[in-house]
């Protein structure tokens, strides 16, 4: 059987970012933490950490980290099922780490799971990433579930269809006037001369929009990067550029002062993004409850 103290040492190094912080968190000496890691690597016959300026896990280390996190959740569920008589059980909160794209987090994820978190004393540790990249966090063992565009689950996991999130290309009315010809038609050349407002460098929705409607595969255009939902939408309202907005946000935007002038760049040309909830096939009760809440929330909001 795997040694619990050695596993906790491995998890501490990865969660705290190094041997020194891990030693402080575990109230051990640096040498003791190092010896536990070496003993675990020796017992398994393979390296678990890549040591350097920053410490990162190997594939085996990632698998063990995921295992440790699942053990913690299962033990917490067990203590709760025994009537809460374990150490600190009366006030214990469980932490669930998830990876979610910012648009989903704001529009339906948080509202959909809020009641569950309060009722069952669950804490969220949210990793924000583009929906095309959240799956990496699950694969690395950093989270127990993720909202992703990938339909294929990895081994030991399930991928459940959540529905479709629709994005519309929007811009301020004043900016759109500059992008139309005298006949009122949209000029893609004028559109590409204006900046796009993009959430971050992983965001490819605007390129999908251009490929889908204008058959452009490697478009060149100036770009603002604004990695915060409110600031992103504010940038559009200020006329800084054009960008992709989830339809769930459009009703709220039109009700805010200064946002009513946003118009669709090319009506009827939305980009649909299919989303899936990836989670471990064998998961503790707290994670199972979260999975059910996520699926129910998605059914209410997504297409």
């Amino acid at each position: 059987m795997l040694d619990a103290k050695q596993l906790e040492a491995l998890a501490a190094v990865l969660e705290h970012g190094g041997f020194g912080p891990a030693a402080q968190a575990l109230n051990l000496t640096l040498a003791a933490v190092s010896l536990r890691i070496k003993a675990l690597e020796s017992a398994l016959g393979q390296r678990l950490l890549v040591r350097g300026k920053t410490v990162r896990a190997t594939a085996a280390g990632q698998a063990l980290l995921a295992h440790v996190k699942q053990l913690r959740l299962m033990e917490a569920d067990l203590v709760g099922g025994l009537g809460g008589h374990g150490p600190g059980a009366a006030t214990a909160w469980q932490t669930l780490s998830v990876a979610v794209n910012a648009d989903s987090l704001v529009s339906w994820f948080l509202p959909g799971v809020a009641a569950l978190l309060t009722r069952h004393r669950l804490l969220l540790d949210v990793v924000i990433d583009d929906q095309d990249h959240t799956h990496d966090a699950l694969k690395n063992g950093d989270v127990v579930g993720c909202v992703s565009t990938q339909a294929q689950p990895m081994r030991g996991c399930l991928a459940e269809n959540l529905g479709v999130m629709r994005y519309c290309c929007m811009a301020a009315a004043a900016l759109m006037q500059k992008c139309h010809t005298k006949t009122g038609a949209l000029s893609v050349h004028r559109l590409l001369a204006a900046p796009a407002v993009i959430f971050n460098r992983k965001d490819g929705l605007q390129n999908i929009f251009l490929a889908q409607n204008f058959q452009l595969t490697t478009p060149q255009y100036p770009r603002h990067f604004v990695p915060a939902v409110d600031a992103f939408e504010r940038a559009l309202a200020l006329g800084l550029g054009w960008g992709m907005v989830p339809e769930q946000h459009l009703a709220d935007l039109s009700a805010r002062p200064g946002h009513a002038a946003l118009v669709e760049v090319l009506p009827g040309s939305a980009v649909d993004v299919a989303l899936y909830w990836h989670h471990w096939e064998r998961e503790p009760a707290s994670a199972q409850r979260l999975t059910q809440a996520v699926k129910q929330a998605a059914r209410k909001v997504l297409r």
Side-chain angles (χ1 to χ4, degrees):
M1 294 181 64
L2 296 171
D3 186 281
K5 291 182 178 179
Q6 294 172 359
L7 287 175
E8 281 299 332
L10 174 69
V13 170
L14 293 173
E15 289 173 342
H16 294 279
F19 284 82
Q24 291 182 342
L26 296 173
N27 199 26
L28 295 172
T29 65
L30 192 63
V33 173
S34 181
L35 284 173
R36 289 183 182 183
I37 301 295
K38 288 180 180 178
L40 184 58
E41 289 179 324
S42 177
L44 294 173
Q46 56 187 308
R47 293 180 66 187
L48 302 175
L49 297 174
V50 178
R51 296 160 175 83
K53 288 184 178 180
T54 58
V55 179
R56 59 184 178 85
T58 64
Q62 291 169 356
L64 283 176
L65 178 62
H67 173 69
V68 171
K69 290 185 175 182
Q70 286 184 301
L71 282 178
R72 290 171 179 169
L73 290 174
M74 286 188 288
E75 288 179 1
D77 284 336
L78 176 61
V79 170
L82 293 174
H85 299 302
T91 58
W93 289 75
Q94 291 186 56
T95 297
L96 296 175
S97 300
V98 296
V100 188
N101 60 304
D103 292 331
S104 291
L105 184 69
V106 172
S107 61
W108 63 268
F109 190 94
L110 280 179
V113 304
L116 171 79
L117 301 179
T118 302
R119 184 166 62 250
H120 291 281
R121 298 178 68 79
L122 299 175
L123 301 173
L124 277 186
D125 184 356
V126 180
V127 175
I128 298 287
D129 207 344
D130 184 84
Q131 58 267 18
D132 293 335
H133 299 270
T134 49
H135 192 258
D136 293 338
L138 181 65
K139 185 168 62 177
N140 294 340
D142 296 331
V143 299
V144 298
C146 69
V147 175
S148 172
T149 54
Q150 294 195 34
Q152 187 66 32
M154 64 181 186
R155 190 173 68 176
C157 289
L158 298 174
E160 307 202 49
N161 188 3
L162 295 174
V164 169
M165 198 158 188
R166 174 162 289 180
Y167 287 81
C168 300
C169 189
M170 307 296 294
L175 177 64
M176 284 312 303
Q177 289 178 1
K178 299 177 182 178
C179 297
H180 285 98
T181 64
K182 292 180 180 180
T183 61
L186 175 67
S187 166
V188 66
H189 300 291
R190 294 183 183 181
L191 181 67
L192 294 180
V197 180
I198 301 172
F199 192 79
N200 59 30
R201 285 167 176 78
K202 295 179 181 179
D203 185 0
L205 286 173
Q206 63 287 336
N207 282 347
I208 295 173
F209 169 80
L210 293 170
Q212 183 175 289
N213 295 287
F214 304 104
Q215 292 73 54
L216 297 174
T217 54
T218 55
Q220 299 298 318
Y221 48 90
R223 311 167 192 223
H224 295 291
F225 292 102
V226 187
V229 173
D230 288 347
F232 174 90
E233 294 167 351
R234 184 62 178 159
L236 293 179
L238 290 170
L240 295 182
W242 53 276
M244 307 301 294
V245 180
E247 66 175 353
Q248 289 84 2
H249 294 194
L250 293 178
D252 292 338
L253 279 174
S254 61
R256 295 184 205 170
H259 288 71
L262 284 185
V263 296
E264 195 168 357
V265 170
L266 190 63
S269 59
V271 172
D272 287 342
V273 177
L275 297 177
Y276 301 84
W277 175 246
H278 289 252
H279 61 95
W280 294 103
E281 189 172 4
R282 297 177 63 185
E283 57 183 359
S286 54
Q288 290 175 15
R289 296 188 190 102
L290 179 66
T291 289
Q292 292 305 314
V294 169
K295 289 161 60 177
Q296 290 174 9
R299 280 196 295 266
K300 293 178 181 177
V301 177
L302 300 183
R303 289 174 173 267

